[in-house]
Amino acid sequence: MATKPPKGDPVQDAPQVGEPKRAAAGLPAIGHTLRMAHQQMGVRRTALTLLNVNQQDGFDCPGCAWPEPEHPHRAEFCENGAKAVAEEATLRRVTPEFFARHPVSDLAGRSGYWLGQQGRLTHPVYLPEGGDHYEPVTWERAFDIVAEEIDALSSPDEAVFYTSGRTSNEAAFLYQLFARELGTNNLPDCSNLCHESSGSALSETIGVGKGSVLLEDLYQADLIIVAGQNPGTNHPRMLSALEKAKANGARIISVNPLPEAGLERFKNPQTAKGLTAGTALNDLFLQIRLGGDQALFRVLNKLILQTPGAVDEDFVREHTHGFEEFAETARAADWDEALTATGLTREDIERCLRMVLESERIIVCWAMGLTQHKHSVPMIREIVNFLLLRGNIGRPGAGVCPVRGHSNVQGDRTMGIFERPAPAFLDALEKEFGFAPPREHGYDVVRAIRALRDGRAKVFFAMGGNFVSASPDTEVTEAAMRRARLTVHVSTKLNRSHTVTGARALILPTLGRTERDVQDGGEQFVTVEDSMGMVHASRGRLEPAGPQLLSEPSIVCRLARRVLGADSVVPWEEFEKDYATIRDRIARVVPGFEDFNARVARPGGFALPHAPRDERRFPTATGRANFTAAPVEYPKVPEGRLLLQTLRSHDQYNTTIYGLDDRYRGIRNGRRVVLVNPEDARALGHADGSYVDLVGEWKDGVERRAPGFRVVHYPTARGCAAAYYPETNVLVPLDATADTSNTPASKSVVVRLEQSATD
Ligand SMILES: Nc1nc2c(c(=O)[nH]1)N[C@H]1C(S)=C(S)[C@@H](COP(=O)(O)OP(=O)(O)OC[C@H]3O[C@@H](n4cnc5c(=O)[nH]c(N)nc54)[C@H](O)[C@@H]3O)O[C@H]1N2
Ligand SMILES: Nc1nc2c(c(=O)[nH]1)N[C@H]1C(S)=C(S)[C@@H](COP(=O)(O)OP(=O)(O)OC[C@H]3O[C@@H](n4cnc5c(=O)[nH]c(N)nc54)[C@H](O)[C@@H]3O)O[C@H]1N2
Ligand SMILES: [Mo]
């Protein structure tokens, strides 16, 4: 039995395991935050910066997309928001001297954690063909290099323009405008890896690919179901909203293979009670198997249909389509299949049903636990069926609540960052700017990787993010990237994607949310849209990390002027000077943004219209909310194998690793751990503390191996395992994606555990 980490494991990764916590936040969270913030920013800057997060005249938190309450406490406390801010406002710097000391071949051997800890990028740098060092380069030369490579393409479709979700509305609008004026819809974004399944399921069924609830609705709900989400870590401010909902009488059911601390008990550091006992949030915990949610909601729907008076007949008659076919399928749902798929007992499900029937107003919240499976789209559609049955869409206290990840990922999509834009959006662009945007669909993330792999794409440009680490099938993705002619990253911090490059590479340093953005037209602000469709302004206050940094809108404007030259019909210079002129155009192109500049000037901003929520109007193909009937699916795992989910620890923001602890789950000082149910682990012969390789099993027969993980006996659902992303992305096959949305199935990877070699 291997009991020591195998050789080659990062030296700092020596996991220690204690008891999982039963409550989230509280005093330890404050101590933890201040320690991390002081290390990055010092005491004075910590105080100044943290007081400005999510205040009406401050900046939007670069952490998650959870909305701000209308009257935030001064410094609405959120441990992980503070960590995101500290990571950006750090006083550490990555300068040209740093790159002189560290060749790319050295950086490529470093962990993502080490790279991120080096600090903020200060200068544009260039890796010439055949070189091993990034060298300082002027902005003019950098844009010349991009133009040279784009000019050499045989079609604009050989270029790919990726976006991560921190990009502001203004920058995103300009970026898609540039790509489309150039002539391509190759605009993949992190949403393709994230909530794409939600968008796909919702636009077909309710006609709008976004959530239908506002914060106010949570406070009015009778029942909130949180499925496939870990808010204690990933949306900590949601816990205050759940606490308030409970105080108003709501009950909460969590559906999750893991007992997550944040849902068990929340110690709100803003209240006296929170500093002691805290509030128990969960009324019922359904410890479901990975991928069992469609079967769960299907059987609930069957039971609702069997209960006299439980269906909202008026709503179904007046507002929906496809009820009969759906009802027939749901009535045929098989209990045995439901119990196998979910791993729950009949009593669990009946208890859940009673709570559903006792509740007038129901909200279902979800995140990556539901979106990253092969059958995620029918799974989410089944939740829509569930809500439609009792009229739970389009009235106060009820609705769908996909909880977004990146702070402006929803806004980026609204601004047209989408490889499959709606014809109406393109028509509006054409009318406003007078050029004909391309109509053919572009590449999403998975298709972009294939195109790079096969030599059909040659220029890769990223507006933020860490494409190489965030994408599936790390080896395939890295090889694809290395085939490119040119890779360009507009970034705040160093990451793995800067070390896995095309023949030539550029890193373009940019301002973060926290920083002051001054242009020729004066000091600028930008805007963002949160997970509930509220749009508001964000103003940075800190001095930029270096005098060379350009804002994202500046970078796009200068790039577009250089690449498109005199042919461009877009006033890029005017846009760069004054972002209000960008907002004027957005107001004329994107529905819901009428009078944008005036409305965003109001404190708190404004809500975008949402037809199902506001007027029970469903802009679908049938003009009604669509029930859907799909066969129940769930992952089938061969004997002796486990189903692995790849998820986040408490000390990371996606591929940015803040630290090596996952406090709530009792893990310290290491990330290469695999959480396995003790009974499964015993049956498979893996003691707690032993070391295993995770070996993926997928129908293509390719061996995918993630070596050296410490086994942790952990109370996850039977047959399921969990390990952190991005270390496990090597196991997720590029072609293992969700039907319809094409999102990598990062939450259902079949693996076997093999004892690690000790030397
Ligand atoms: N601090 C911090 N905040 C973040 C992020 C971060 O990395 N760090 N990332 C941001 C981003 S981009 C996103 S998208 C969100 C992600 O937010 P989450 O979706 O909460 O993130 P994950 O860690 O992937 O957690 C997935 C949760 O779903 C559960 N789960 C997994 N599979 C299933 C399933 O089949 N069924 C059910 N019912 N549950 C399942 C897991 O046990 C886990 O609790 O957070 C955002 N906020
Ligand atoms: N296996 C597995 N894979 C996953 C997931 C999973 O659950 N499991 N989750 C997926 C999800 S939900 C998502 S959203 C993706 C995330 O994918 P990405 O959004 O591509 O990745 P991040 O790690 O958020 O990107 C971090 C980098 O963004 C840059 N950055 C930070 N702030 C700014 C800014 O303001 N401007 C600019 N230009 N750059 C900035 C920094 O350089 C930093 O290194 O990963 C996906 N991948
Ligand atoms: Mo995400």
Side-chain angles (χ1 to χ4, degrees):
M1 178 82 46
T3 50
K4 278 202 289 220
K7 269 197 189 150
D9 219 23
V11 274
Q12 75 272 26
D13 208 290
Q16 295 153 9
V17 178
E19 281 296 299
K21 300 275 176 295
R22 307 294 307 272
L27 276 177
I30 298 183
H32 195 70
T33 310
L34 290 178
R35 257 193 318 281
M36 282 216 178
H38 288 166
Q39 278 166 15
Q40 298 284 347
M41 307 192 277
V43 174
R44 204 180 110 80
R45 194 169 164 95
T46 297
L48 278 177
T49 313
L50 295 186
L51 286 176
N52 260 308
V53 192
N54 290 345
Q55 299 302 313
Q56 275 166 4
D57 53 353
F59 59 89
D60 180 62
C61 178
C64 72
W66 189 257
E68 279 82 66
E70 211 171 302
H71 303 291
H73 291 261
R74 194 79 192 153
E76 208 211 1
F77 178 78
C78 162
E79 175 188 345
N80 279 347
K83 288 195 284 201
V85 169
E87 184 78 15
E88 180 176 303
T90 179
L91 294 168
R92 301 177 188 163
R93 297 289 178 268
V94 172
T95 59
E97 295 72 52
F98 171 91
F99 288 110
R101 277 200 309 279
H102 296 282
V104 177
S105 49
D106 164 29
L107 298 176
R110 305 282 182 164
S111 71
Y113 176 47
W114 187 91
L115 293 173
Q117 289 297 310
Q118 303 312 305
R120 287 288 298 278
L121 295 156
T122 57
H123 288 70
V125 288
Y126 170 49
L127 180 70
E129 193 159 4
D132 195 22
H133 283 273
Y134 277 102
E135 310 163 349
V137 64
T138 62
W139 282 101
E140 289 66 33
R141 177 72 188 124
F143 294 132
D144 284 348
I145 292 165
V146 185
E148 279 165 26
E149 293 294 342
I150 290 183
D151 287 346
L153 299 176
S154 47
S155 146
D157 288 330
E158 291 179 355
V160 169
F161 297 95
Y162 175 71
T163 314
S164 166
R166 279 194 191 171
T167 294
S168 64
N169 289 334
E170 288 75 3
F173 185 78
L174 295 183
Y175 189 52
Q176 62 82 33
L177 187 62
F178 163 62
R180 295 194 164 111
E181 196 181 18
L182 179 68
T184 185
N185 281 316
N186 286 344
L187 287 158
D189 69 344
C190 70
S191 198
N192 299 146
L193 304 169
C194 182
H195 263 294
E196 199 67 62
S197 303
S198 309
S200 298
L202 294 177
S203 31
E204 184 189 310
T205 52
I206 66 168
V208 180
K210 301 181 183 182
S212 74
V213 302
L214 295 171
L215 212 39
E216 221 15 69
D217 292 306
L218 276 130
Y219 306 149
Q220 297 175 40
D222 298 321
L223 179 66
I224 301 172
I225 301 180
V226 182
Q229 194 199 346
N230 178 20
T233 285
N234 297 313
H235 306 92
R237 288 178 299 117
M238 180 174 171
L239 299 185
S240 328
L242 292 178
E243 185 184 44
K244 187 161 170 189
K246 279 215 87 154
N248 290 349
R251 291 195 285 184
I252 295 174
I253 299 178
S254 76
V255 187
N256 203 307
L258 296 172
E260 303 284 30
L263 289 164
E264 290 192 61
R265 187 167 284 275
F266 171 48
K267 297 190 169 183
N268 188 341
Q270 248 126 222
T271 63
K273 185 180 170 205
L275 294 177
T276 53
T279 310
L281 291 180
N282 245 348
D283 293 279
L284 176 64
F285 170 40
L286 296 178
Q287 186 163 35
I288 197 163
R289 287 205 171 129
L290 289 167
D293 304 76
Q294 188 199 9
L296 169 65
F297 282 96
R298 176 64 55 87
V299 80
L300 285 172
N301 288 339
K302 171 192 177 102
L303 298 171
I304 293 171
L305 285 165
Q306 284 172 351
T307 309
V311 174
D312 183 341
E313 313 255 352
D314 292 344
F315 176 80
V316 168
R317 196 176 44 251
E318 281 166 39
H319 295 289
T320 71
H321 173 269
F323 174 76
E324 279 313 324
E325 195 193 337
F326 152 74
E328 200 181 313
T329 318
R331 283 192 194 100
D334 179 43
W335 262 108
D336 287 341
E337 184 178 54
L339 299 182
T340 310
T342 60
L344 300 170
T345 62
R346 210 173 161 124
E347 294 68 53
D348 285 334
I349 295 177
E350 280 167 351
R351 222 176 125 202
C352 174
L353 174 75
R354 278 198 299 281
M355 290 168 73
V356 168
L357 295 175
E358 283 159 14
S359 305
E360 189 64 24
R361 303 151 187 245
I362 303 180
I363 291 174
V364 184
C365 304
W366 70 89
M368 295 306 100
L370 297 200
T371 62
Q372 298 176 334
H373 294 280
K374 178 178 182 294
H375 59 306
S376 283
V377 174
M379 184 188 281
I380 296 166
R381 285 187 192 146
E382 198 62 32
I383 291 178
V384 173
N385 289 336
F386 166 81
L387 291 169
L388 291 178
L389 265 184
R390 290 173 51 77
N392 274 314
I393 294 190
R395 61 189 170 83
V400 281
C401 183
V403 183
R404 304 277 161 180
H406 265 302
S407 49
N408 198 39
V409 60
Q410 186 158 315
D412 290 346
R413 190 51 71 81
T414 309
M415 291 298 118
I417 303 291
F418 194 22
E419 74 284 354
R420 292 173 284 136
F425 179 83
L426 297 178
D427 293 344
L429 270 190
E430 181 158 3
K431 182 156 169 261
E432 178 64 25
F433 292 99
F435 70 88
R439 300 275 161 172
E440 227 168 85
H441 288 175
Y443 300 136
D444 60 12
V445 167
V446 165
R447 292 186 176 95
I449 295 167
R450 288 192 194 120
L452 287 158
R453 178 193 66 190
D454 301 341
R456 285 178 285 118
K458 300 192 173 86
V459 170
F460 176 85
F461 191 105
M463 186 57 73
N466 182 2
F467 189 85
V468 159
S469 293
S471 294
D473 230 347
T474 313
E475 285 181 26
V476 175
T477 297
E478 293 197 353
M481 223 35 148
R482 291 201 160 99
R483 278 202 73 183
R485 278 294 310 156
L486 174 70
T487 49
V488 188
H489 287 90
V490 177
S491 307
T492 52
K493 306 274 304 253
L494 198 59
N495 65 46
R496 171 106 192 133
S497 297
H498 304 131
T499 73
V500 181
T501 67
R504 309 166 89 184
L506 286 161
I507 307 176
L508 307 179
T510 192
L511 298 178
R513 285 278 171 76
T514 51
E515 289 162 323
R516 202 181 290 278
D517 181 354
V518 182
Q519 303 293 342
D520 287 352
E523 192 164 323
Q524 306 296 316
F525 67 89
V526 293
T527 62
V528 293
E529 173 186 343
D530 67 31
S531 196
M532 294 181 175
M534 300 292 300
V535 178
H536 61 88
S538 173
R539 273 186 196 81
R541 297 279 183 220
L542 298 178
E543 271 311 301
Q548 291 261 348
L549 267 52
L550 291 183
S551 72
E552 292 184 351
S554 287
I555 292 173
V556 182
C557 289
R558 293 185 193 192
L559 176 70
R561 280 171 61 198
R562 176 63 190 83
V563 172
L564 302 169
D567 294 345
S568 178
V569 296
V570 174
W572 299 105
E573 245 170 304
E574 176 188 319
F575 287 164
E576 184 179 356
K577 272 191 205 128
D578 180 1
Y579 301 171
T581 63
I582 311 171
R583 287 187 287 273
D584 284 338
R585 302 304 186 105
I586 294 172
R588 290 205 287 269
V589 171
V590 188
F593 284 83
E594 298 75 18
D595 218 7
F596 191 5
N597 274 306
R599 284 198 296 156
V600 84
R602 285 179 215 142
F606 61 93
L608 289 176
H610 188 291
R613 178 193 69 206
D614 304 336
E615 35 180 327
R616 277 203 163 170
R617 188 166 59 74
F618 298 92
T620 61
T622 61
R624 288 161 166 253
N626 290 316
F627 278 102
T628 48
V632 167
E633 290 175 66
Y634 61 96
K636 311 217 170 42
V637 183
E639 248 330 277
R641 309 297 186 258
L642 295 171
L643 195 62
L644 175 80
Q645 61 157 321
T646 61
L647 81 179
R648 292 152 174 81
S649 87
H650 193 62
D651 271 2
Q652 76 182 84
Y653 193 93
N654 298 338
T655 70
T656 299
I657 312 301
Y658 303 135
L660 298 174
D661 298 345
D662 191 3
R663 203 168 71 246
Y664 297 157
R665 299 197 183 106
I667 315 284
R668 283 184 190 278
N669 201 40
R671 294 181 44 84
R672 294 185 86 84
V673 292
V674 57
L675 314 184
V676 185
N677 178 289
E679 286 176 54
D680 290 324
R682 273 182 217 113
L684 295 169
H686 298 294
D688 188 276
S690 62
Y691 277 82
V692 295
D693 291 1
L694 309 179
V695 186
E697 292 193 358
W698 166 249
K699 60 188 177 195
D700 62 6
V702 173
E703 187 185 276
R704 296 180 175 81
R705 181 179 291 264
F709 281 71
R710 185 202 188 279
V711 173
V712 179
H713 288 192
Y714 198 87
T716 181
R718 284 302 303 270
C720 303
Y724 304 132
Y725 119 83
E727 287 82 350
T728 46
N729 285 40
V730 64
L731 299 171
V732 184
L734 185 64
D735 296 334
T737 59
D739 299 331
T740 311
S741 67
N742 210 26
T743 297
S746 319
K747 296 287 191 276
S748 29
V749 186
V750 175
V751 292
R752 61 173 194 272
L753 309 188
E754 276 184 13
Q755 199 177 302
S756 293
T758 33
D759 47 24

